[in-house]
Amino acid sequence: QDGLGCRKGWSLGYGVGENLLGVEAPIIYWSVSARSNSPADGRGDLTDISFALPEVIQRGVWYHVVATYDGSRMTVFVDAEKVIEVDACPAPPCGNILYPAAINSGGSCAAGTPMTIGTFDNRMDLSQRSHTGNIHKMGIYRTALTPGEVSSLFAQGFDALKSSPIIQDEYWVKGSGQEGGVRSPSDDFTSISAESSTVDVRGRFWYLRSYSCVFKQGDSVANSAGTISCSGVNGECSAA
């Protein structure tokens, strides 16, 4: 959360700005609320670092981004290359990350802070900004990865992935709203009848491809053949 009275948690995101050459380029943002940076009233304070990529992101190409905090320093890697590293506080070590939870007293944080992937959801000012693109894999680790570990992760099949195309013709989104306005894809549906129900999954699908649905409840798994009905323009379809 980032606002008056509460600056806690962490976030990894991106925007668009200018690089050192004055050329429009993506900027990666990494923010962490370290305990030692918090004022006496406990509201927390975020250390924000950013790095402008030297070149424009190529559409349809995968990128590997890692951000770490080891209790003292904040680091960002792009495709296994360290691009920025700074102290997280004036006099490291800086302590654990402060979260907007009850155990971290102080400040006036908003309740119900979600953990989101693919969107920035700031409950302090009710702002939401969504990622436009694909996310292949995401991981959160208990300890900060070393440069060697980052390189190892990058080497584990990412070279092959880097050279493979991103399938942009198929995706599905949460049933409410338009694709551009959806915060994050969701697999949560309202309660449905086990005997007879119709579930609409909206997005963009290949016209001549078959799809199937998998429903899980505890250890029980049920499969259902998928059918496609197309409507609208530009090949936008609904698979039921």
Side-chain angles (χ1 to χ4, degrees), residues 194-205:
E195 288 76 20
S196 177
S197 296
T198 298
V199 176
D200 288 334
V201 181
R202 301 185 182 276
R204 186 183 296 272
F205 305 91

Side-chain angles (χ1 to χ4, degrees), residues 162-212:
K162 189 84 170 177
S163 61
S164 67
I166 296 177
I167 299 177
Q168 300 174 328
D169 295 327
E170 295 178 279
Y171 56 84
W172 67 280
V173 295
K174 190 175 179 180
S176 60
Q178 300 298 315
E179 289 88 339
V182 174
R183 296 203 306 268
S184 292
S186 172
D187 59 357
D188 296 326
F189 299 98
T190 57
S191 178
I192 61 176
S193 168
E195 288 76 20
S196 177
S197 296
T198 298
V199 176
D200 288 334
V201 181
R202 301 185 182 276
R204 186 183 296 272
F205 305 91
W206 281 25
Y207 182 66
L208 298 177
R209 180 166 292 181
S210 298
Y211 297 87
S212 63

Side-chain angles (χ1 to χ4, degrees), residues 58-140:
Q58 300 179 51
R59 296 177 63 88
V61 176
W62 291 104
Y63 289 85
H64 185 258
V65 179
V66 175
T68 67
Y69 169 64
D70 64 1
S72 295
R73 297 181 66 78
M74 299 167 61
T75 310
V76 175
F77 300 83
V78 178
D79 287 351
E81 179 184 351
K82 183 189 298 183
V83 295
I84 186 172
E85 183 177 36
V86 300
D87 288 340
C89 64
C94 310
N96 294 331
I97 296 176
L98 280 179
Y99 289 94
I103 59 172
N104 295 316
S105 60
S108 55
C109 299
T113 301
M115 168 62 191
T116 58
I117 301 172
T119 186
F120 178 75
D121 190 341
N122 185 8
R123 292 303 169 95
M124 291 301 294
D125 61 6
L126 301 181
S127 63
Q128 297 168 349
R129 294 188 288 276
S130 300
H131 165 66
T132 301
N134 291 4
I135 297 176
H136 183 268
K137 186 179 295 183
M138 182 267 187
I140 300 176

Side-chain angles (χ1 to χ4, degrees), residues 19-54:
N19 59 22
L20 296 177
L21 300 177
V23 178
E24 184 178 277
I27 300 178
I28 298 173
Y29 297 98
W30 174 222
S31 301
V32 171
S33 181
R35 182 176 294 275
S36 67
N37 286 334
S38 178
D41 61 8
R43 66 179 181 268
D45 193 18
L46 290 164
T47 299
D48 305 307
I49 66 173
S50 62
F51 175 78
L53 297 179

